[in-house]
């Protein structure tokens, strides 16, 4: 079946630095990928919709300059958390779908900002 | 915006018992999905529902798409310890499979052996 791979699975960074998270569709092409944020024991909150070859669409309240999304190819989308602060610590999850199927989710990235 | 209310928030049951959880929406959805999430992992799709009134099973799991299009339920029969996890409902208003999803708050399931 279709697989979505997210890397890294865990990352610890210092406050003020930037962190890049990759989301790859391993055996299918994904024109659309989604990025979610999840706090402990809470639901998935959609951050943005990533479209290949065009600008991402951000949900209300999500700072596009803070969370940079690039979808340069049909198999890769990246989320960069810029100038990270402790309040950015969270579980970030991507999903990707090919036409006609439901989205598959990556395994998530646990970001800890110290 | 669209909101999904999922209940119960948590359940503590004995192995072998049946489980039921549901989601209600303030607006109509064209697709209802049910996911399971294990700790530290991404959600995994359990059942997808596309038609109002549809009843679909996947092993011990059964889910239904409410006739009003504003609700859905998931039943798990004869629970086993590996059923432990967080279950999420998700709805999609659009007609394409790659439209964005709205997630419920989740139901934390604990199964005692």
């Amino acid at each position: 079946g279709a697989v979505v791979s997210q890397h890294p699975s865990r990352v610890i960074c210092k406050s003020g630095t930037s962190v890049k998270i990759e989301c790859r569709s391993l055996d299918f092409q994904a024109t659309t990928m989604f990025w979610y944020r999840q706090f402990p024991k809470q639901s998935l909150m959609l951050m943005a919709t990533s479209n290949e070859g065009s600008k991402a669409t951000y949900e209300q309240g999500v700072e596009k300059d803070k969370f940079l999304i690039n979808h340069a190819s049909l198999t890769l989308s990246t989320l960069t958390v810029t100038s990270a602060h402790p309040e950015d610590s969270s579980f970030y999850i991507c999903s990707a779908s090919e036409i006609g199927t439901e989205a598959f989710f990556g395994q998530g990235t646990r970001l800890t900002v110290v | 915006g669209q909101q999904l209310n999922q209940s119960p928030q948590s359940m503590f049951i004995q192995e072998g018992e049946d489980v039921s959880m549901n989601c209600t929406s303030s607006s109509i959805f064209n697709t209802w999905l049910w996911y399971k999430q294990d700790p530290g992992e991404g959600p995994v799709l359990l059942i997808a529902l596309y038609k109002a009134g549809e009843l679909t099973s996947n092993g011990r799991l059964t889910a239904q798409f409410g006739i009003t299009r504003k609700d859905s339920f998931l039943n798990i029969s004869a629970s086993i310890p590996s059923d432990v996890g967080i279950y999420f409902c998700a709805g999609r208003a659009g007609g394409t499979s790659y439209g964005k999803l709205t997630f419920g708050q989740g139901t934390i399931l604990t199964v005692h052996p």
Side-chain angles (χ1 to χ4, degrees):
Chain A
V3 176
V4 175
S5 177
Q6 208 172 319
H7 178 81
S9 57
R10 290 177 176 269
V11 58
I12 300 173
C13 71
K14 291 184 177 181
S15 186
T17 62
S18 296
V19 174
K20 181 184 286 187
I21 302 170
E22 293 185 347
C23 180
R24 293 181 184 273
S25 57
L26 297 185
D27 53 0
F28 66 97
Q29 294 182 332
T31 55
T32 303
M33 293 184 176
F34 298 93
W35 287 96
Y36 297 84
R37 183 173 181 176
Q38 186 179 31
F39 291 106
K41 296 186 178 181
Q42 293 192 22
S43 186
L44 283 74
M45 300 301 298
L46 181 65
M47 299 175 65
T49 302
S50 172
N51 300 298
E52 186 268 338
S54 64
K55 292 182 179 180
T57 303
Y58 290 82
E59 294 299 300
Q60 189 174 8
V62 178
E63 300 176 57
K64 62 179 181 180
D65 295 329
K66 172 76 172 176
F67 299 99
L68 299 179
I69 291 174
N70 184 279
H71 195 154
S73 77
L74 287 172
T75 59
L76 174 65
S77 176
T78 60
L79 168 67
T80 301
V81 183
T82 63
S83 187
H85 292 283
E87 57 266 30
D88 297 325
S89 298
S90 190
F91 194 55
Y92 293 87
I93 311 173
C94 69
S95 72
S97 64
E98 53 183 337
I99 294 175
T101 68
E102 295 298 337
F104 291 89
F105 285 82
Q107 61 268 60
T109 297
R110 173 74 59 194
L111 170 64
T112 304
V113 184
V114 298
Chain B
Q2 296 166 326
Q3 293 183 346
L4 286 185
N5 293 313
Q6 185 172 347
S7 64
Q9 283 188 313
S10 61
M11 301 183 74
F12 298 84
I13 63 171
Q14 291 292 128
E15 182 177 0
E17 291 183 353
D18 297 343
V19 172
S20 184
M21 58 193 80
N22 68 83
C23 275
T24 59
S25 169
S26 58
S27 57
I28 288 174
F29 284 109
N30 290 322
T31 301
W32 282 96
L33 306 170
W34 285 92
Y35 290 88
K36 183 190 178 196
Q37 184 180 28
D38 291 326
E41 299 287 335
V44 174
L45 181 64
L46 299 174
I47 292 180
L49 303 159
Y50 299 106
K51 293 182 181 180
E54 180 180 357
L55 183 71
T56 298
S57 293
N58 178 7
R60 293 179 294 107
L61 279 61
T62 302
Q64 184 159 31
F65 189 144
I67 292 177
T68 65
R69 294 189 176 183
K70 293 184 178 182
D71 63 308
S72 176
F73 72 76
L74 174 71
N75 287 342
I76 304 174
S77 62
S79 59
I80 58 178
S82 61
D83 289 334
V84 166
I86 305 177
Y87 292 80
F88 289 100
C89 64
R92 184 168 57 232
T96 61
S97 64
Y98 44 88
K100 64 181 183 180
L101 300 174
T102 301
F103 281 81
Q105 302 95 324
T107 297
I108 301 172
L109 177 63
T110 303
V111 180
H112 294 288

